Amino acid sequence: MRYTSFTSYDIVLLAQGLGVSLALFLATTIIGLLLGSLWAVIRFYRVPVLTQIVTVFAELLKNSPVLVQLFLVFFGLPAFAKLNVTPVEAAVITLSGNTAAFVYVIAVSAIESIGRDQIEAARVFGLSRWQVLRHIIAPQAMAFAIGPLTGLLVNQLQVTSLISVIGVVDLTKIGNILNLRTLKPFVVWAMVGALYYVMAKLIAYGGATLEKRLRAHTAWKGL
Amino acid sequence: MISVRGVRKAFGAATVLDGIDLDVHSGEVVSILGSSGSGKSTLIRCMNGLEKLDAGCITIDDFDVSRPKELTEARKRSATVFQLFNLYPHMTAVQNIALAPVEVLKIPPKQAEADARALLESVGLSARADAFPSQLSGGQRQRVGICRALAMKPRYLLLDEITSALDPEMTSDVLAILAKLASDGTTMVFVTHEIEFARTISSRVVFLDKGQLVVDLPTAEFFAADGGMAKPRIAQFLSKMRKD
Ligand SMILES: Nc1ncnc2c1ncn2[C@@H]1O[C@H](COP(=O)(O)OP(=O)(O)OP(=O)(O)O)[C@@H](O)[C@H]1O
Ligand SMILES: [Mg+2]
């Protein structure tokens, strides 16, 4: 067997890379969704000071390249604050923040799409702000946001591939390793690409299924 | 008792309510008449705590709506039916009605749902109980709106032009329900342009003009030639409303 040929162990490597990419994606998605929604709620209730901080922070995150943010966290934090971050930590911090910024934008417009009059009605019937959030705002905002969110998450999955540059052994990094060893870039990158494709399709499918369920009340059968 | 004392409300430079005094006692049906822009809706919104008062005080059974701690209690005692229904679009008719009883009055969900179905039945809507608002006609939506208010077993019903978005046929359906509530002794404050209806069901009529409560009379006196009608402003208003 030649050094450059594929071995069955390569499948294990690919599976490992896939696992790392997926785990990072899931973790940063969950953190990003929670953070971004929290920021949107802060803005909805116009919480003094916090609203301004959130707005500026989201602006900065949205309008700078993820790669630059990643370098800032990975190289910048140790130099500036003497905080040592591992590549995985840097990846989690950066991707969560980035996802949160875009979730925030989507959540804000989703919340604003809800008629003020129903919120007033719920308040007049004695529901607390929290109950209004839970029973009136959240379900409708989710139905509104699920489409754009699915698009965002499919994109954020691709963005995870950037973290390979700081040494996280994700799917892209494994692709790199296999490519250097086998010298078959077309085969390797096609395979890696196909794996990302399948994951992206699964996310899109999950989003579409959820959307159908959340939007039962606006079921639009077409003209 | 609902008690409105010296209430002032301005939006920017425009004074919309200018020193309103009004008492509504248990069992009364008080109609609020007045031309467009006279401040009727704003008065209702002040009563249910949606607008901050600039001066004066509103209490519902002695709970001051301007005090956040007392507002919840005040709101438990009064319920509002809105001109444009303001239903929750993501919930079915039953869910719309049962939400506040479960969340605010802490009625068990099963019980609240059964109550909601019974209310819908009483307004002839049992077949549409599980429909979403978007699947209901305007008149049906407003009947759900009324059931949503009644489910709170309120002592006071606040109704702001609840038939003005409906066509005449649906209007008479909804008015029939109100007439029944009135004869059952429900206390109501009700803003309307349906002069004849106001005349038949209300015990008192008040007239708002440019943010001031210019007349507050028992119904018969309000419509009597030597009562409210003696005031040119009201005679003019009534003759205009009757023409439309
Ligand atoms: N949120 C607001 N901001 C500014 N002005 C307002 C606001 N709400 C009401 N107004 C003004 O206050 C005045 C009274 O409005 P209101 O809705 O109470 O009148 P109304 O008597 O209910 O009239 P209609 O019969 O047309 O419903 C109007 O001139 C209106 O433009
Ligand atoms: Mg009005």
Side-chain angles (χ1 to χ4, degrees):
Chain A
M1 196 175 75
R2 302 218 346 238
Y3 174 71
T4 56
S5 49
F6 287 104
T7 71
S8 52
Y9 181 67
D10 294 342
I11 296 183
V12 177
L13 272 183
L14 276 174
Q16 262 174 12
L18 188 68
V20 169
S21 287
L22 257 182
L24 264 171
F25 170 74
L26 286 177
T28 58
T29 294
I30 290 169
I31 301 173
L33 282 173
L34 290 177
L35 263 186
S37 317
L38 180 71
W39 296 351
V41 170
I42 286 174
R43 186 189 142 116
F44 178 68
Y45 286 126
R46 305 285 187 278
V47 181
V49 188
L50 283 183
T51 305
Q52 284 76 11
I53 294 177
V54 159
T55 312
V56 170
F57 200 57
E59 275 299 306
L60 291 177
L61 287 176
K62 270 186 324 184
N63 296 304
S64 59
V66 184
L67 199 54
V68 171
Q69 295 168 16
L70 188 65
F71 288 161
L72 190 66
V73 171
F74 187 58
F75 301 113
L77 271 191
F80 176 71
K82 301 268 174 296
L83 266 177
N84 263 324
V85 282
T86 65
V88 171
E89 285 163 359
V92 170
I93 295 172
T94 311
L95 294 178
S96 301
N98 193 260
T99 302
F102 288 99
V103 168
Y104 167 75
V105 174
I106 294 172
V108 163
S109 67
I111 290 177
E112 271 163 12
S113 77
I114 299 168
R116 242 351 85 92
D117 50 0
Q118 333 157 20
I119 296 173
E120 285 188 348
R123 293 288 280 158
V124 162
F125 280 102
L127 273 74
S128 66
R129 287 176 155 209
W130 164 249
Q131 289 170 324
V132 169
L133 192 62
R134 179 163 134 60
H135 295 285
I136 309 296
I137 297 174
Q140 294 186 74
M142 246 142 75
F144 180 94
I146 184 76
L149 275 182
T150 307
L152 169 68
L153 293 184
V154 166
N155 186 61
Q156 293 303 85
L157 171 72
Q158 327 294 354
V159 169
T160 60
S161 66
L162 289 179
I163 59 178
S164 60
V165 301
I166 57 167
V168 178
V169 190
D170 72 333
L171 184 55
T172 301
K173 186 75 180 178
I174 296 292
N176 234 325
I177 293 167
L178 287 181
N179 178 40
L180 291 176
R181 203 196 73 221
T182 61
L183 302 173
K184 294 188 183 73
F186 187 78
V187 179
V188 168
W189 291 120
M191 218 151 51
V192 169
L195 286 173
Y196 276 111
Y197 179 86
V198 171
M199 283 195 285
K201 276 294 170 192
L202 283 176
I203 296 169
Y205 175 77
T209 311
L210 203 57
E211 179 165 16
K212 222 178 265 163
R213 197 169 330 145
L214 288 173
R215 293 202 156 196
H217 67 284
T218 51
W220 170 241
K221 306 275 185 323
L223 284 169
Chain B
M1 182 174 105
I2 300 180
S3 149
V4 178
R5 285 280 169 276
V7 164
R8 254 184 47 83
K9 173 74 195 171
F11 292 109
T15 300
V16 173
L17 295 178
D18 192 3
I20 303 282
D21 292 299
L22 177 68
D23 281 339
V24 180
H25 299 275
S26 270
E28 278 190 308
V29 176
V30 176
S31 294
I32 301 181
L33 304 183
S35 44
S36 183
S38 57
K40 304 179 298 295
S41 298
T42 307
L43 179 57
I44 295 281
R45 291 173 59 83
C46 287
M47 286 181 176
N48 58 28
L50 284 175
E51 302 286 354
K52 265 209 188 100
L53 310 181
D54 292 321
C57 165
I58 297 180
T59 57
I60 297 184
D61 285 349
D62 293 329
F63 291 103
D64 187 338
V65 300
S66 302
R67 300 211 176 122
K69 288 227 174 76
E70 298 179 31
L71 178 58
T72 313
E73 275 309 310
R75 281 174 165 169
K76 276 189 202 167
R77 277 145 215 272
S78 61
T80 307
V81 182
F82 299 86
Q83 180 171 12
L84 298 175
F85 328 129
N86 300 12
L87 298 177
Y88 318 125
H90 60 302
M91 296 184 180
T92 63
V94 163
Q95 291 168 337
N96 263 277
I97 297 166
L99 178 68
V102 170
E103 294 297 322
V104 181
L105 304 180
K106 308 292 175 204
I107 294 174
K110 282 252 156 54
Q111 174 73 45
E113 188 187 324
D115 293 349
R117 287 186 192 279
L119 278 168
L120 284 169
E121 165 120 54
S122 74
V123 298
L125 269 186
S126 39
R128 310 294 288 140
D130 298 303
F132 289 107
S134 61
Q135 301 164 326
L136 298 172
S137 75
Q140 292 172 335
R141 285 180 213 182
Q142 195 55 293
R143 279 183 268 167
V144 174
I146 293 173
C147 291
R148 180 175 63 172
L150 294 178
M152 296 301 282
K153 303 204 170 59
R155 297 197 186 171
Y156 310 98
L157 267 184
L158 309 176
L159 311 126
D160 186 5
E161 293 195 46
I162 65 167
T163 58
S164 65
L166 306 179
D167 69 25
E169 199 188 336
M170 291 171 175
T171 297
S172 60
D173 285 357
V174 168
L175 292 184
I177 294 168
L178 289 194
K180 167 130 193 347
L181 290 172
S183 68
D184 292 348
T186 313
T187 311
M188 294 193 254
V189 177
F190 120 90
V191 173
T192 187
H193 283 143
E194 304 279 336
I195 306 289
E196 282 315 311
F197 184 73
R199 189 173 186 166
T200 52
I201 77 159
S202 47
S203 43
R204 255 166 71 213
V205 178
V206 303
F207 186 81
L208 269 185
D209 189 26
K210 301 198 189 82
Q212 295 187 329
L213 209 155
V214 292
V215 173
D216 180 348
L217 288 172
T219 309
E221 277 178 53
F222 183 88
F223 290 98
D226 55 351
M229 292 295 276
K231 296 209 174 202
R233 181 72 191 85
I234 292 176
Q236 178 199 354
F237 171 79
L238 290 181
S239 75
K240 182 165 167 290
M241 292 311 296
R242 289 198 168 113
K243 247 184 278 155
D244 295 343

